[in-house]
Amino acid sequence: MEVIGSISALGAGLAFGLGAIGPAIGIGMIGGKTIESMARQPEMAGRLQTTMFIALGMAEAIALLGFVLAFILQGVGA
Amino acid sequence: MSGTTAEPAEGEVTATEEVEGHGGEEQEYTLSSRIEHLNHELSVLALWGPLEEQQAEHAEPMSVVSSSWNLGSLASNFTLTNYTFWMMPAVLLLVLFFMAARSAAKVSLAKADYVPKGILNVAEAGVDLVRGNICTDVMGPEGAKYFPFVGTVFFFVLFNNLLGNIPPALPGTGTLGTTFLWGIIVFVVYNGIGIKKNGLGRYMKSFIPSGTPGAMKPLIFLLEIVSHFLRPITLGIRLYANMYAGHIMLGVFAIFCAVAIKNFTPVGAVVLPLSFLMQVVLRAFELFVAVLQAYIFSILTAVYINGALHAAEH
């Protein structure tokens, strides 16, 4: 049982760590592109920011699935 | 550590005394046990709960409230933790704040003085942000109709998040129970709005975008259902993770400070100012996160309501 516990703890860490790579890249791209667009058209900054936060929420959601999975995997070993 | 978490608040106090008594004998003087005991000392001071307390399946109530309130068999699982306790002052402050703003508005209207000052100015700025930047920007002019709900969500989350930044307090939104409940409320409300506006049949039909090939329809429908059910979960976890993780970070650096003070070594002399500085920086960052998360929570609520309103169009 101890082996299962430690492996599931490792899996939990990996699930979140690996699952966060994609969303992290996505959030970086969203932020970078928003800054780029705001620099080009400062008068659009307000609307761009609103859209950015919505897109950030979508990208974050995928990382959060890994977060849930990590908790579920922790429960497997316990 | 699991042995001590099960004890009531009184037991924690005696456990701390034991630690100090054994301190001279140097029995088990490892850093991890040191941090464990310091963690408990901090929790006795009601500054910080033990780190894994919230993750425990049946979280014991923390030191502010000494025992669980048994509300009969129906609600016997109800425990008032530190997090849920601090939700009450936050809501009380929220109500008092807007009552004060309302009476200030009445006074200024009676005097025909339309320039807002003081508390009224702050309240108007907040309301303007939600109605302008969140409701009407996302949903168009009809969004103002949904301001009461979105505003309630925003100010509840904002007051809880901000109150959590005043040291003895913890954010009421830093626990999964609160945030999941708000996620479920948002889920029910936006689906209700969609069904009311479009009718059940057309609303369900909108889960399949027009132009989907026949064979793909069941799969797309299933995917859409899953993505809708993921919405309350992600709403809840986003807020919980941000608030709880921020306070974990603050707690970790507080423990670093406490360890560095308790056994003052050359390493500690370096660690202490650095972790104190980190505390200050993180506190500022937490203030930013508190406002940002309230904003994101309510803007996503507005986006979901907007999607439900215009469900028939695609």
Side-chain angles (χ1 to χ4, degrees):
Chain A
M1 282 305 107
E2 236 174 58
V3 177
I4 294 175
S6 44
I7 290 176
S8 59
L10 197 65
L14 283 176
F16 182 59
L18 294 177
I21 293 173
I25 295 169
I27 289 168
M29 283 168 83
I30 292 164
K33 287 283 174 190
T34 311
I35 293 169
E36 207 175 281
S37 325
M38 287 196 313
R40 283 179 189 217
Q41 273 179 294
E43 68 275 10
M44 287 285 286
R47 282 187 62 194
L48 284 171
Q49 249 172 4
T50 310
T51 321
M52 181 191 76
F53 281 121
I54 295 165
L56 277 188
M58 306 281 166
E60 245 184 349
I62 296 157
L64 294 171
L65 293 182
F67 186 79
V68 179
L69 197 62
F71 269 103
I72 291 169
L73 283 173
Q74 263 193 334
V76 170
Chain B
M1 202 182 250
S2 55
T4 38
T5 47
E7 286 175 20
E10 282 179 23
E12 284 181 16
V13 176
T14 52
T16 321
E17 285 166 2
E18 270 176 33
V19 173
E20 279 162 3
H22 287 291
E25 295 167 26
E26 292 193 359
Q27 277 192 324
E28 29 177 275
Y29 205 68
T30 60
L31 184 66
S32 63
S33 72
R34 197 74 209 159
I35 289 173
E36 266 178 38
H37 294 316
L38 276 165
N39 195 3
H40 273 276
E41 281 169 42
L42 289 173
S43 82
V44 170
L45 292 169
L47 280 169
W48 186 253
L51 288 179
E52 80 285 20
E53 191 107 343
Q54 279 292 307
Q55 289 159 11
E57 213 165 305
H58 300 288
E60 286 290 313
M62 290 182 217
S63 41
V64 165
V65 182
S66 58
S67 63
S68 61
W69 292 4
N70 198 337
L71 299 180
S73 59
L74 253 179
S76 61
N77 283 331
F78 175 77
T79 48
L80 193 64
T81 62
N82 263 6
Y83 285 89
T84 45
F85 169 78
W86 282 105
M87 204 154 57
M88 291 190 264
V91 172
L92 199 69
L93 271 175
L94 175 58
V95 171
L96 286 177
F97 176 76
F98 277 103
M99 274 167 70
R102 185 163 166 265
S103 60
K106 271 187 181 163
V107 168
S108 71
L109 277 181
K111 285 195 291 188
D113 172 19
Y114 299 114
V115 182
K117 287 191 275 301
I119 195 167
L120 183 59
N121 204 357
V122 178
E124 277 192 16
V127 167
D128 221 40
L129 173 80
V130 181
R131 191 155 50 191
N133 278 15
I134 294 172
C135 287
T136 49
D137 264 18
V138 174
M139 293 188 264
E142 62 181 329
K145 215 170 82 186
Y146 302 100
F147 165 69
F149 177 66
V150 180
T152 308
V153 172
F154 177 79
F155 286 111
F156 177 86
V157 174
L158 181 72
F159 269 68
N160 269 298
N161 289 356
L162 284 180
L163 189 71
N165 273 317
I166 300 168
L170 290 166
T173 44
T175 177
L176 265 179
T178 313
T179 55
F180 262 154
L181 186 62
W182 273 109
I184 289 164
I185 290 170
V186 168
F187 179 78
V188 168
V189 165
Y190 89 76
N191 277 310
I193 287 170
I195 289 167
K196 199 178 157 200
K197 174 101 181 194
N198 302 298
L200 185 62
R202 271 169 74 197
Y203 185 61
M204 292 310 271
K205 235 165 136 185
S206 76
F207 285 13
I208 308 167
S210 56
T212 314
M216 287 288 283
K217 274 180 182 170
L219 187 68
I220 296 286
F221 184 74
L222 206 68
L223 277 177
E224 279 289 304
I225 292 277
V226 168
S227 85
H228 273 261
F229 274 103
L230 280 178
R231 283 174 175 185
I233 297 172
T234 53
L235 269 182
I237 292 172
R238 177 179 301 114
L239 184 55
Y240 156 74
N242 272 289
M243 298 322 293
Y244 185 58
H247 279 253
I248 287 270
M249 289 292 285
L250 285 171
V252 165
F253 283 104
I255 290 169
F256 278 2
C257 285
V259 170
I261 291 169
K262 275 233 163 181
N263 36 4
F264 197 76
T265 55
V267 178
V270 180
V271 168
L272 180 60
L274 283 181
S275 33
F276 185 80
L277 191 73
M278 201 64 197
Q279 278 267 316
V280 177
V281 173
L282 274 178
R283 215 28 116 170
F285 184 66
E286 278 301 295
L287 275 175
F288 167 70
V289 166
V291 179
L292 183 73
Q293 286 306 316
Y295 183 70
I296 287 181
F297 198 98
S298 42
I299 208 165
L300 284 174
T301 304
V303 169
Y304 295 157
I305 292 174
N306 186 45
L309 278 177
H310 303 292
E313 287 164 22
H314 48 75

